[in-house]
Amino acid sequence: MPEYRATEYLRLSYSMDRENESDSITNQKKLIEDFLKGHPEIELVSEHVDDGYSGILFDRPQFQAMMQDIREGKINCVIVKDLSRLGREYIETGRYLRQIFPAYGVRFIAITDGIDTAHENNGDDLNISLKTILNDAYCHDISVKTRSALLTKRKNGDFVGACPIYGYQKS
Protein backbone atom coordinates (compact mmCIF):
# COMPACT_ATOMS: atom_id res chain seq x y z
CA MET A 1 0.00 0.00 0.00
CA PRO A 2 1.37 3.45 -0.91
CA GLU A 3 2.86 5.45 1.94
CA TYR A 4 2.10 8.85 0.39
CA ARG A 5 -1.16 10.30 -0.98
CA ALA A 6 0.03 12.92 -3.44
CA THR A 7 -1.28 15.77 -5.48
CA GLU A 8 0.39 17.08 -8.59
CA TYR A 9 0.42 20.85 -8.51
CA LEU A 10 0.73 22.43 -11.95
CA ARG A 11 1.04 26.14 -12.70
CA LEU A 12 1.67 28.38 -15.68
CA SER A 13 1.91 32.15 -15.32
CA TYR A 14 0.09 33.17 -18.47
CA SER A 15 -1.63 31.49 -21.35
CA MET A 16 -3.15 33.24 -24.36
CA ASP A 17 -5.71 30.45 -24.78
CA ARG A 18 -7.86 30.29 -21.64
CA GLU A 19 -10.18 27.66 -23.12
CA ASN A 20 -7.68 24.84 -23.63
CA GLU A 21 -4.99 23.41 -21.42
CA SER A 22 -1.57 24.83 -22.28
CA ASP A 23 1.28 22.71 -23.61
CA SER A 24 3.34 23.58 -20.54
CA ILE A 25 0.69 22.12 -18.22
CA THR A 26 0.50 18.97 -20.37
CA ASN A 27 4.30 18.64 -20.24
CA GLN A 28 4.33 19.10 -16.47
CA LYS A 29 1.73 16.33 -16.12
CA LYS A 30 3.79 13.98 -18.29
CA LEU A 31 6.97 14.65 -16.30
CA ILE A 32 5.20 13.90 -13.01
CA GLU A 33 3.54 10.80 -14.49
CA ASP A 34 6.95 9.48 -15.58
CA PHE A 35 8.42 10.24 -12.14
CA LEU A 36 5.63 8.34 -10.37
CA LYS A 37 6.32 5.18 -12.40
CA GLY A 38 9.50 4.72 -10.40
CA HIS A 39 7.95 5.51 -7.02
CA PRO A 40 5.38 2.89 -5.96
CA GLU A 41 5.27 4.37 -2.44
CA ILE A 42 3.42 7.40 -3.87
CA GLU A 43 -0.22 7.26 -4.95
CA LEU A 44 -1.48 10.20 -7.01
CA VAL A 45 -4.90 11.07 -5.56
CA SER A 46 -5.51 14.56 -6.93
CA GLU A 47 -4.42 17.25 -9.34
CA HIS A 48 -4.48 21.00 -8.84
CA VAL A 49 -3.92 23.24 -11.89
CA ASP A 50 -3.54 27.02 -11.81
CA ASP A 51 -3.19 27.79 -15.52
CA GLY A 52 -2.67 31.51 -16.02
CA TYR A 53 -1.66 32.54 -12.47
CA SER A 54 1.51 34.26 -11.32
CA GLY A 55 3.84 32.47 -8.95
CA ILE A 56 4.38 35.67 -6.97
CA LEU A 57 0.95 35.43 -5.30
CA PHE A 58 -0.28 32.52 -3.21
CA ASP A 59 -4.00 33.26 -3.38
CA ARG A 60 -4.29 31.14 -6.52
CA PRO A 61 -7.59 29.17 -6.47
CA GLN A 62 -6.18 25.67 -6.95
CA PHE A 63 -3.24 26.35 -4.63
CA GLN A 64 -5.76 27.25 -1.93
CA ALA A 65 -7.78 24.10 -2.72
CA MET A 66 -4.58 22.05 -2.39
CA MET A 67 -3.86 23.65 0.98
CA GLN A 68 -7.39 22.78 2.10
CA ASP A 69 -6.78 19.16 1.10
CA ILE A 70 -3.58 19.21 3.17
CA ARG A 71 -5.38 20.67 6.20
CA GLU A 72 -8.08 17.99 5.88
CA GLY A 73 -5.45 15.23 5.67
CA LYS A 74 -6.44 14.12 2.16
CA ILE A 75 -2.88 14.49 0.86
CA ASN A 76 0.55 14.30 2.46
CA CYS A 77 2.77 14.83 -0.59
CA VAL A 78 3.01 17.67 -3.12
CA ILE A 79 4.75 17.06 -6.43
CA VAL A 80 5.74 19.85 -8.84
CA LYS A 81 7.90 20.00 -11.95
CA ASP A 82 10.26 22.51 -10.34
CA LEU A 83 10.34 24.86 -7.38
CA SER A 84 9.13 27.85 -9.42
CA ARG A 85 5.81 26.06 -10.07
CA LEU A 86 5.10 26.18 -6.33
CA GLY A 87 5.94 29.86 -6.11
CA ARG A 88 8.40 32.52 -7.19
CA GLU A 89 8.28 34.77 -4.14
CA TYR A 90 11.28 34.03 -1.91
CA ILE A 91 9.85 34.62 1.57
CA GLU A 92 6.44 32.97 1.09
CA THR A 93 7.83 29.97 -0.81
CA GLY A 94 10.36 29.44 1.98
CA ARG A 95 7.60 29.68 4.58
CA TYR A 96 5.64 26.90 2.88
CA LEU A 97 8.73 24.69 2.50
CA ARG A 98 10.20 25.23 5.97
CA GLN A 99 7.15 25.77 8.17
CA ILE A 100 3.75 24.94 6.70
CA PHE A 101 4.47 21.68 4.84
CA PRO A 102 6.57 20.20 7.69
CA ALA A 103 3.88 21.18 10.24
CA TYR A 104 1.37 19.06 8.30
CA GLY A 105 3.86 16.26 7.62
CA VAL A 106 3.82 16.95 3.88
CA ARG A 107 6.55 15.56 1.65
CA PHE A 108 7.50 18.06 -1.07
CA ILE A 109 9.05 16.97 -4.37
CA ALA A 110 10.36 19.30 -7.09
CA ILE A 111 11.43 16.86 -9.79
CA THR A 112 13.79 18.81 -12.06
CA ASP A 113 15.38 20.66 -9.12
CA GLY A 114 16.13 17.38 -7.35
CA ILE A 115 14.32 18.41 -4.17
CA ASP A 116 12.62 15.72 -2.10
CA THR A 117 12.07 16.52 1.56
CA ALA A 118 11.76 12.81 2.42
CA HIS A 119 15.52 12.38 1.84
CA GLU A 120 17.96 14.07 4.15
CA ASN A 121 20.17 16.70 2.46
CA ASN A 122 18.17 16.32 -0.76
CA GLY A 123 16.28 19.52 -0.10
CA ASP A 124 19.01 21.31 1.84
CA ASP A 125 18.38 24.87 2.93
CA LEU A 126 21.16 26.44 0.87
CA ASN A 127 20.05 24.79 -2.37
CA ILE A 128 16.40 25.73 -1.82
CA SER A 129 17.28 29.26 -0.72
CA LEU A 130 19.38 29.90 -3.82
CA LYS A 131 16.70 28.55 -6.14
CA THR A 132 13.93 30.62 -4.52
CA ILE A 133 16.09 33.75 -4.61
CA LEU A 134 16.76 33.20 -8.33
CA ASN A 135 13.05 32.59 -8.99
CA ASP A 136 12.17 35.79 -7.13
CA ALA A 137 14.86 37.77 -9.01
CA TYR A 138 13.54 36.44 -12.33
CA CYS A 139 10.08 37.89 -11.58
CA HIS A 140 11.51 41.27 -10.67
CA ASP A 141 13.68 41.27 -13.80
CA ILE A 142 10.70 40.48 -16.06
CA SER A 143 8.66 43.19 -14.34
CA VAL A 144 11.36 45.82 -14.95
CA LYS A 145 11.74 44.77 -18.60
CA THR A 146 7.97 44.83 -19.19
CA ARG A 147 7.58 48.29 -17.65
CA SER A 148 10.54 49.56 -19.69
CA ALA A 149 9.03 48.23 -22.94
CA LEU A 150 5.65 49.79 -22.15
CA LEU A 151 7.30 53.12 -21.31
CA THR A 152 9.14 53.07 -24.65
CA LYS A 153 5.88 52.34 -26.50
CA ARG A 154 4.12 55.22 -24.72
CA LYS A 155 6.98 57.61 -25.55
CA ASN A 156 6.68 56.58 -29.21
CA GLY A 157 2.96 57.28 -29.14
CA ASP A 158 1.97 53.62 -29.46
CA PHE A 159 -1.23 52.37 -27.87
CA VAL A 160 -0.55 50.13 -24.83
CA GLY A 161 -4.04 49.52 -23.49
CA ALA A 162 -5.88 46.22 -23.54
CA CYS A 163 -8.93 47.59 -25.34
CA PRO A 164 -9.00 50.11 -28.18
CA ILE A 165 -10.44 53.56 -27.62
CA TYR A 166 -14.19 53.74 -28.20
CA GLY A 167 -14.96 53.81 -31.91
CA TYR A 168 -11.72 52.16 -33.01
CA GLN A 169 -10.86 48.57 -33.85
CA LYS A 170 -7.75 46.77 -32.72
CA SER A 171 -5.43 45.78 -35.57
Side-chain angles (χ1 to χ4, degrees):
M1 182 163 157
E3 184 179 344
Y4 294 98
R5 294 172 321 282
T7 186
E8 57 183 359
Y9 180 71
L10 315 162
R11 184 188 64 76
L12 178 66
S13 294
Y14 179 71
S15 176
M16 295 294 284
D17 182 5
R18 296 281 190 164
E19 299 300 315
N20 299 311
E21 184 179 275
S22 68
D23 286 341
S24 177
I25 294 294
T26 303
N27 293 337
Q28 289 176 53
K29 281 183 189 181
K30 178 71 174 135
L31 181 76
I32 293 170
E33 179 184 300
D34 290 345
F35 173 82
L36 289 172
K37 288 177 184 173
H39 292 83
E41 78 279 12
I42 303 172
E43 175 189 9
L44 188 64
V45 297
S46 67
E47 171 184 283
H48 292 82
V49 181
D50 280 319
D51 197 352
Y53 288 88
S54 171
I56 289 289
L57 305 173
F58 283 83
D59 62 351
R60 305 181 297 263
Q62 287 300 304
F63 182 83
Q64 291 305 316
M66 177 185 75
M67 290 308 300
Q68 185 63 35
D69 286 351
I70 289 171
R71 286 188 286 273
E72 292 172 0
K74 293 177 182 176
I75 57 174
N76 62 357
C77 182
V78 174
I79 304 172
V80 295
K81 173 190 168 227
D82 60 46
L83 194 53
S84 70
R85 298 305 90 200
L86 178 69
R88 288 192 178 272
E89 202 277 326
Y90 171 70
I91 301 293
E92 198 66 10
T93 302
R95 190 170 74 88
Y96 276 96
L97 293 176
R98 292 184 184 88
Q99 295 174 355
I100 297 173
F101 288 167
Y104 286 103
V106 171
R107 176 182 180 181
F108 176 77
I109 301 169
I111 298 169
T112 59
D113 288 330
I115 298 170
D116 185 345
T117 58
H119 300 87
E120 205 166 316
N121 295 330
N122 205 358
D124 65 82
D125 281 346
L126 182 59
N127 186 27
I128 291 173
S129 294
L130 287 173
K131 287 180 187 294
T132 54
I133 287 170
L134 290 172
N135 289 335
D136 195 318
Y138 173 79
C139 285
H140 292 293
D141 185 48
I142 291 296
S143 177
V144 167
K145 288 177 181 176
T146 301
R147 279 183 274 147
S148 173
L150 288 174
L151 180 62
T152 301
K153 281 185 161 192
R154 284 188 203 101
K155 284 182 178 178
N156 291 335
D158 294 339
F159 181 71
V160 295
C163 300
I165 300 169
Y166 184 76
Y168 288 84
Q169 289 183 338
K170 199 170 184 177
S171 64

